[in-house]
Amino acid sequence: MATPKRQDTKKLFEELSGSGKSIGVLTSGGDAQGMNGAVRAVVRMGIYVGAKVYFIHEGYQGMVDGGQNIEEASWESVSSMLQVGGTVIGSARCMEFRTHEGRLRAALNLVQHEITNLCVIGGDGSLTGANLFREEWSSLLDELRQQGLIDAAAVRKNSVLHIVGIVGSIDNDFCGTDMTIGTDSALHRIIEVVDAIGTTAQSHQRTFVLEVMGRHCGYLALVSALACGADWVFFPEMPPEDGWEEDLCHKLSGNRADKKRLNIIIVAEGAIDSHNKPISADNIKDLVVQRLGFDTRITILGHVQRGGTPSAFDRILASRMGVEAVLALLEASATTPACVVSLVGNQAVRLPLMECVQMTQEVQKAMDEKKFDEAVRLRGRSFENNLFTYRLLCSRKPDNDIPPSNFNVAVLNVGAPAAGMNAAVRSAVRVGIAEGHKMFAINDGFEGFSKGQIKEIKWGDVGGWTGQGGSLLGTKRTLPAKHAEKIAEQIRIHNINAMLVIGGFEAYLGLLELSGAREEFSEFCVPMVMVPATVSNNIPGSDLSIGADTALNAITQTCDRIKQSASGTKRRVFIIETMGGYCGYLANVGGLAAGADAVYIYEEPFDIRELQANVEHLTEKMKTSIQRGLVLRNENSNENFTTDFIYQLYSEEGKGVFDCRKNVLGHMQQGGAPSPFDRNFGTKVAAKAMQWITTKLKDTYKEGRVFANSEDSACLLGMRRRAMVFQPVAQLREETDFVHRIPKEQWWLKLRPLMKILAKYKTSFDVSDSGQLEHVTHVRPKEAAV
């Protein structure tokens, strides 16, 4: 939904017509989970705007061979593929396409189907090949005409080839995008293995060396190490310094001395030392066994990382990218360069394909020249932030080597439990200790604070916390106002100089109350920062909250299983209720990830006429080859149209066409081990919050005490579009609907039309944010003049 300020510039995609156009979609190179979601989105969006869409089976090989490999797609032909891993239209390496003759045959096959718009889903090699094909297009058509294979009219009609790329690669090795399709799912496979290994390793006091994919890019190794709290990680962009063998053995033996029963070492398959010599899992095992005598095992994950069903993140990313790719094709002109659809922060952007390819190649060049810091910088902001945070958490010095700051910092959880809270606490504690602070854990939120449930928490106390669900500190919804005097007393007793609050809407309200009570209680005049953690994702000032991704995965996996439960039976529609209070994030985004036919949320009021129209729409769909229907309802979407009411309505109106089942997901959305995204997000956000606290403590320390009473000393740290931003909680009041506990403006409502379009509803779609071709910001600096 556009904000009021932008109404005059609102641009609806109904103005973009695909009539008379043909779009070809292919997947190329290595497969990645989520590719099918992108194919589905391209097909359905293309058909929706009136274009013909063609599958090109087996990648470029299918384009060169033609015939049955180029097949017109229908709406139903992409049904039930969102949850399938790999790519159902096939992918193949194609040497022929690298030859002029092969590209000539491919051009002829496209012209015969009048395909002049190509959506290529693959890695940098696949996208580079597409760009070369586009550059040669005019000369290829001229050559085909000279050979008498096409006529002048065909040349005129197909004179320009438009290319849009979507990056599908589990390695996340393409510059210009924070995440590529398949990366999050690969991280899920890795973390599942790490969690499983953890139990057996602790039983036997073992060291495990895990080899993960990443021949040229260490993203999977780095992020999985961050997400599981690995003891050491090896990856190509940052080789260890000479003497690393001693450092590794010293760290492992120190961990054993601290009674740590499990050691995890993660190594990317392309890991090297500073002399470009490979470091293998076998090298590391031999080192640990020979020098320390530790029982050590190797696990090579291999193609397990490519397998399995795509995560919720990858399904949503693929759906967004597929729709954006069609918009880019519709808006392309003869002078528009080939572009790639990317994700920066939480926003879809378009970047010139060859700028991204060039920067990707520059990374390898920098590594070949041993300019590893530059290679990391060229990888982009996301990669840099991950590495920076990992170093913060893993560069532990002996306690007596850390100069004390003489500041005491308290950490507490407030509100309902959310997966990822413990990862955030671990990160905050360790970063705080590394910066010299004394860290205090508060049990049971503000209620525990008032009762003095406070104790110092050390580095080793938070070991193994990243993979734990719920809140190990304990959390309550109690607000601080009625306990203000007792909390102030505890702050005096323990000399608390700053507070980090990790939690949901109650945490936000709590910070407002504490900062508002500063005039009465000077003890609250300390830096306070909140990190959003709630499955509902209803905190003003942040697009995302810790825990929401894990809940989305729980919803998506449950929807998959529920739909599969009816396999082989007659046509069936499932009515599913999600959590979220009045916030429809879980229902709406979960519906996009699960392929829902309808989603009912509080933010978009609905009446009986709309319900009836939805039932009729679904009834018509179920008369085709589609066998399953899925309807999601947010728990507080409407007081009268309850889940039971909607179930009974669909049951009655669907008689003779389909039958109905209902399911209330309940607290399973809050449970389980945190997803890799939530572990990583919680870790990075809490680390950033602690650094803010350190800065504020130094700035506000005057005359022997900390005194902070300005608005900007009580902040919320949230993700806004492309950046992490500290915002005074007092300034967020205007953005808050306190009655319904939701922000007044919610970014994800812009995704709602996507869900409707992909479910075959006619709707209006604001594309004001689309259509802007941006440029890659990182460029390799020229060598300084000598």
Side-chain angles (χ1 to χ4, degrees):
M1 291 172 62
T3 60
K5 292 180 182 177
R6 298 188 56 181
Q7 286 295 329
D8 55 332
T9 61
K10 188 171 181 179
K11 176 182 174 186
L12 301 180
F13 86 110
E14 287 92 326
E15 300 163 20
L16 302 170
S17 172
S19 180
K21 296 183 179 181
S22 294
I23 300 171
V25 58
L26 67 118
T27 52
S28 177
D31 64 306
Q33 310 96 315
M35 280 183 164
N36 288 324
V39 171
R40 170 181 177 268
V42 170
V43 168
R44 290 195 167 176
M45 187 65 171
I47 292 172
Y48 185 88
V49 297
K52 284 186 175 181
V53 187
Y54 290 86
F55 293 135
I56 300 176
H57 295 280
E58 311 306 330
Y60 286 119
Q61 190 66 55
M63 196 192 297
V64 171
D65 294 342
Q68 293 182 340
N69 288 304
I70 301 178
E71 171 197 10
E72 187 172 356
S74 67
W75 193 277
E76 290 79 17
S77 63
V78 292
S79 181
S80 300
M81 66 189 286
L82 188 58
Q83 68 269 28
V84 180
T87 165
V88 298
I89 61 173
S91 180
R93 311 283 181 187
C94 180
M95 297 306 296
E96 287 179 84
F97 191 74
R98 297 186 179 188
T99 68
H100 178 78
E101 183 58 37
R103 291 192 293 274
L104 192 66
R105 285 167 55 194
L108 176 60
N109 289 325
L110 293 188
V111 169
Q112 287 172 345
H113 292 86
E114 298 183 349
I115 297 172
T116 55
N117 298 278
L118 265 187
C119 177
V120 180
I121 306 166
D124 62 333
S126 303
L127 300 181
T128 304
N131 190 66
L132 174 62
F133 190 43
R134 175 183 171 277
E135 290 174 346
E136 291 182 346
W137 185 253
S138 294
S139 62
L140 292 172
L141 294 193
D142 290 341
E143 198 172 334
L144 290 171
R145 184 186 172 196
Q146 289 167 12
Q147 293 178 13
L149 296 173
I150 61 174
D151 57 21
V155 173
R156 285 193 302 274
K157 190 168 186 180
N158 300 279
S159 60
V160 180
L161 178 68
H162 301 296
I163 300 282
V164 172
I166 299 176
V167 191
S169 165
I170 68 164
D171 290 337
N172 202 31
D173 56 355
F174 193 81
C175 293
T177 184
D178 287 351
M179 287 288 274
T180 57
I181 293 170
T183 303
D184 187 68
S185 299
L187 286 170
H188 273 258
R189 301 297 92 79
I190 295 168
I191 295 304
E192 284 163 10
V193 170
V194 173
D195 286 351
I197 280 174
T199 54
T200 180
Q202 289 201 7
S203 301
H204 298 278
Q205 275 204 324
R206 279 181 178 149
T207 297
F208 267 86
V209 183
L210 266 74
E211 183 186 290
V212 301
M213 282 185 167
R215 191 170 293 115
H216 304 295
C217 178
Y219 186 89
L220 287 179
L222 174 59
V223 175
S224 57
L226 197 58
C228 73
D231 297 280
W232 203 281
V233 61
F234 296 89
F235 59 96
E237 290 89 347
M238 192 49 59
E241 296 177 1
D242 289 347
W244 62 267
E245 296 91 344
E246 289 292 334
D247 293 339
L248 173 61
C249 291
H250 180 73
K251 182 163 190 176
L252 295 181
S253 58
N255 285 343
R256 284 292 169 91
D258 288 343
K259 303 290 190 289
K260 185 176 180 182
R261 301 179 63 84
L262 163 67
N263 296 123
I264 295 283
I265 301 166
I266 293 179
V267 53
E269 59 183 340
I272 53 173
D273 65 16
S274 56
H275 306 288
N276 283 340
K277 182 182 175 184
I279 297 175
S280 70
D282 285 320
N283 297 151
I284 298 164
K285 178 188 174 183
D286 292 343
L287 172 71
V288 174
V289 171
Q290 290 168 13
R291 296 206 186 179
L292 300 176
F294 289 177
D295 187 1
T296 305
R297 297 286 190 272
I298 292 174
T299 299
I300 298 175
L301 270 64
H303 280 71
V304 165
Q305 295 157 89
R306 287 195 191 280
T309 188
S311 66
F313 183 98
D314 273 330
R315 298 186 200 196
I316 296 158
L317 177 63
S319 298
R320 291 177 70 181
M321 298 298 101
V323 168
E324 185 72 21
V326 173
L327 292 175
L329 288 170
L330 293 179
E331 293 175 350
S333 67
T335 57
T336 305
C339 77
V340 61
V341 180
S342 300
L343 183 76
V344 180
N346 196 31
Q347 191 176 12
V349 299
R350 302 177 197 170
L351 299 169
L353 191 155
M354 290 315 294
E355 284 186 20
C356 297
V357 169
Q358 182 182 2
M359 192 160 78
T360 304
Q361 293 168 347
E362 291 288 335
V363 175
Q364 190 59 49
K365 186 176 178 183
M367 288 166 61
D368 292 341
E369 295 172 2
K370 298 185 180 180
K371 296 177 179 177
F372 297 111
D373 286 336
E374 186 179 331
V376 169
R377 185 182 64 80
L378 288 166
R379 279 282 181 223
R381 185 186 60 183
S382 174
F383 195 98
E384 279 187 293
N385 288 343
N386 284 310
L387 180 56
F388 177 76
T389 308
Y390 183 80
R391 283 172 165 167
L392 265 183
L393 292 168
C394 295
S395 57
R396 183 188 181 188
K397 299 174 184 175
D399 291 345
N400 54 6
D401 287 354
I402 302 172
S405 67
N406 297 318
F407 292 127
N408 297 338
V409 181
V411 181
L412 64 158
N413 294 157
V414 176
M421 274 183 164
N422 297 320
V425 172
R426 169 188 175 271
S427 175
V429 167
R430 291 195 168 179
V431 171
I433 291 171
E435 298 195 348
H437 309 321
K438 189 178 282 189
M439 301 299 296
F440 287 85
I442 298 173
N443 298 114
D444 296 338
F446 290 120
E447 187 175 317
F449 206 160
S450 69
K451 294 176 180 177
Q453 294 174 209
I454 305 169
K455 63 177 181 179
E456 187 179 352
I457 187 165
K458 300 290 187 69
W459 187 283
D461 296 337
V462 291
W465 279 33
T466 53
Q468 300 290 316
S471 168
L472 293 172
L473 288 185
T475 182
K476 295 260 179 89
R477 295 179 182 272
T478 309
L479 293 176
K482 60 183 179 181
H483 301 292
E485 191 171 338
K486 289 183 178 179
I487 292 173
E489 182 185 355
Q490 292 299 327
I491 290 175
R492 281 197 308 276
I493 292 169
H494 294 89
N495 190 27
I496 300 298
N497 306 118
M499 274 187 273
L500 170 60
V501 184
I502 302 163
F505 206 85
E506 290 84 2
Y508 166 60
L509 293 176
L511 233 61
L512 282 172
E513 289 183 358
L514 290 177
S515 57
R518 281 173 163 173
E519 285 190 17
E520 186 178 354
F521 299 99
S522 63
E523 291 84 357
F524 300 151
C525 294
V526 295
M528 297 184 276
V529 63
M530 174 195 164
V531 168
T534 166
V535 300
S536 301
N537 198 34
N538 62 334
I539 307 299
S542 189
D543 291 353
L544 296 173
S545 298
I546 298 164
D549 183 74
T550 304
L552 278 178
N553 277 287
I555 292 167
T556 305
Q557 290 165 9
T558 306
C559 288
D560 287 351
R561 291 177 182 178
I562 287 171
K563 286 195 289 186
Q564 191 184 42
S565 72
S567 179
T569 66
K570 60 183 179 179
R571 289 177 172 82
R572 183 162 286 168
V573 171
F574 296 95
I575 316 294
I576 297 175
E577 180 182 298
T578 67
M579 284 179 125
Y582 285 97
C583 181
Y585 176 82
L586 288 181
N588 191 69
V589 182
L592 183 60
D597 295 279
V599 176
Y600 300 112
I601 60 174
Y602 166 78
E603 290 88 348
E604 190 173 288
F606 55 96
D607 56 22
I608 193 65
R609 289 179 294 277
E610 184 172 344
L611 284 170
Q612 183 62 32
N614 292 161
V615 173
E616 291 170 2
H617 180 83
L618 190 52
T619 303
E620 289 305 307
K621 278 183 18 181
M622 298 291 275
K623 289 177 181 176
T624 66
S625 60
I626 292 173
Q627 297 281 316
R628 306 285 166 262
L630 184 65
V631 175
L632 268 61
R633 178 189 174 275
N634 168 242
E635 58 184 351
N636 287 350
S637 57
N638 188 289
E639 186 179 356
N640 297 309
F641 299 136
T642 62
T643 301
D644 280 335
F645 178 91
I646 292 173
Y647 162 68
Q648 290 165 5
L649 176 67
Y650 274 78
S651 296
E652 182 64 28
E653 297 296 318
K655 278 183 179 175
V657 180
F658 59 80
D659 65 358
C660 271
R661 297 288 186 274
K662 69 172 178 177
N663 194 297
V664 177
L665 299 184
H667 280 73
M668 68 173 295
Q669 296 157 86
Q670 279 187 329
S675 68
F677 182 94
D678 278 331
R679 298 183 197 200
N680 189 15
F681 187 54
T683 298
K684 287 196 290 188
V685 175
K688 194 172 183 72
M690 278 306 305
Q691 289 180 302
W692 178 90
I693 281 176
T694 298
T695 301
K696 284 291 180 187
L697 284 169
K698 291 175 181 175
D699 292 346
T700 58
Y701 184 74
K702 292 180 178 68
E703 298 177 6
R705 63 167 292 194
V706 172
F707 187 81
N709 66 346
S710 59
E711 271 194 355
D712 66 356
S713 64
C715 281
L716 179 146
L717 173 56
M719 174 183 274
R720 285 225 153 154
R721 290 166 73 88
R722 303 191 189 187
M724 297 299 301
V725 185
F726 288 95
Q727 303 143 96
V729 288
Q731 293 178 15
L732 293 174
R733 283 180 182 275
E734 296 302 312
E735 300 180 26
T736 310
D737 174 351
F738 286 98
V739 175
H740 299 101
R741 298 160 62 90
I742 55 175
K744 291 178 181 177
E745 295 284 340
Q746 307 207 71
W747 70 271
W748 52 264
L749 286 170
K750 285 190 176 183
L751 300 183
R752 188 159 175 77
L754 304 194
M755 186 275 298
K756 291 185 175 182
I757 288 167
L758 297 176
K760 215 174 183 177
Y761 284 94
K762 288 290 179 186
T763 188
S764 182
F765 183 25
D766 177 11
V767 293
S768 305
D769 285 341
S770 301
Q772 315 243 329
L773 191 67
E774 302 184 13
H775 291 279
V776 178
T777 52
H778 287 293
V779 291
R780 186 178 165 87
K782 294 180 180 178
E783 294 293 333
V786 178

